Amino acid sequence: RSLSVDEAAKLRAGDDHYRAYVGPPQRYDFMGLSQIGILFALDLKETDKVLDFGCGSLRAGRMLIPFLREECYFGIDSNRWLIDDGIDRELGRDAIDLKRPRFSYNDDFNCAVFNQQFDFIMAQSIVTHAGPSMARALFRTAFDSLKQDGLLLLSYVRGTADTSMPPDGWSYPDNIVYSPDTIMSMLGDVGFAAVEIPWFHPGAQWVAASPNAERLPTREALTAFAGQPIPRRRPDPK
C-alpha cells in the first residue's frame, strides 16, 4: 500500500495497492476518465445525485466529487481501506469537507442504504465479477433506488448467445461471462428497459438501463458514441 504510483504500475490486477486492487493499474487513469466520459455523454449535471457502486479507491470519484455539488456523490465499497487510500493519495481530505460525499462500507449489494433516489448509478466492473444471484440483487435494488428518469450504467463481460448460466457467488479478480440475452432478461425481469452502449471498454460491454425507456439514448444518438481516445501522434525523433 505504500508503493508510489510509478512502482504500483508494475503490479497485477488484484494486488493490495489502491491502484491495482481495482483493476490493471496501468488503466487507472483511463478507466476513471472513461466513466466520466460516459456520464457526460448521457447528460450528467452537477446537481445530479450519483451512486458509485463499488467505488473502490475513487478511480472515478476523485473527479466526480469535485464536479458534483455538495452531498451529491455517494459511494459503496466493502473495502474501506480502498476509499481511505483514494481520499488520502488522490483526492484530499479538503474535498471531503467541502463536498460532503457519503460512503457505505458494505457488501450487501444494496443501493438503498442511503435512503436516496439517484439520477445515476454507476456499476463499473461489478457484474463482471458477480454471479447471477448477486447480479439480480443489484438490479432489483438499483431499480428501486433510481429516479423514474434515472440511469443504471453497468459493464459486463460479453459472451456468445449460447453461453450457459455462469457460476454463482463473487469471483475476483477472475471474470464472469454473460450472454447479452441473459443480461437483458435479468434487467427486464425487474422492470428495466435497457440498451447496450457502444462506448469503448478494453474488456467489457457497457449497458444503460432505466425504469423509463424514454430516458435511454436513441439509436441515432448511439451512433455518436465512441469513448476510445485517439492516440497521440508524436513527432519522429530527429
Side-chain angles (χ1 to χ4, degrees), residues 1-194:
R1 289 175 59 181
S2 63
L3 294 178
S4 69
V5 169
D6 289 338
E7 291 169 329
K10 302 172 185 176
L11 297 176
R12 297 171 300 175
D15 283 346
D16 287 337
H17 186 278
Y18 78 93
R19 280 184 166 237
Y21 192 84
V22 297
Q26 303 84 0
R27 295 179 186 169
Y28 191 84
D29 56 350
F30 168 80
M31 287 310 307
L33 282 172
S34 181
Q35 292 175 75
I36 300 301
I38 195 171
L39 285 166
F40 168 74
L42 291 168
D43 203 26
L44 174 71
K45 306 297 186 187
E46 65 176 8
T47 52
D48 286 337
K49 292 189 182 298
V50 179
L51 172 58
D52 193 355
F53 191 94
C55 62
S57 56
L58 308 183
R59 188 165 51 180
R62 62 185 176 144
M63 292 171 273
L64 270 176
I65 291 170
F67 171 76
L68 296 171
R69 291 194 185 175
E70 297 88 346
E71 300 180 356
C72 283
Y73 177 91
F74 300 78
I76 292 178
D77 202 282
S78 60
N79 296 291
R80 184 167 186 156
W81 70 270
L82 283 173
I83 297 174
D84 288 342
D85 282 6
I87 292 172
D88 291 334
R89 301 184 65 176
E90 294 289 339
L91 182 65
R93 294 284 167 180
D94 286 348
I96 301 300
D97 294 338
L98 179 66
K99 291 304 182 84
R100 301 190 297 278
R102 293 174 60 188
F103 297 101
S104 177
Y105 314 102
N106 72 80
D107 58 2
D108 297 333
F109 273 65
N110 183 7
C111 298
V113 293
F114 299 109
N115 194 30
Q116 292 282 338
Q117 295 292 113
F118 298 103
D119 298 282
F120 290 93
I121 297 176
M122 171 68 73
Q124 147 62 19
S125 197
I126 301 299
V127 179
T128 53
H129 305 292
S133 294
M134 287 182 166
R136 289 190 181 98
L138 172 59
F139 298 160
R140 283 193 296 269
T141 185
F143 184 88
D144 292 338
S145 299
L146 277 170
K147 296 178 181 179
Q148 184 59 27
D149 62 347
L151 279 179
L152 166 65
L153 300 175
L154 67 100
S155 60
Y156 79 100
V157 178
R158 197 177 196 271
T160 58
D162 59 354
T163 301
S164 59
M165 187 61 72
D168 222 332
W170 182 253
S171 175
Y172 189 80
D174 296 330
N175 289 316
I176 290 179
V177 178
Y178 287 96
S179 71
D181 289 345
T182 298
I183 288 292
M184 293 301 175
S185 176
M186 290 196 295
L187 288 166
D189 286 346
V190 299
F192 276 118

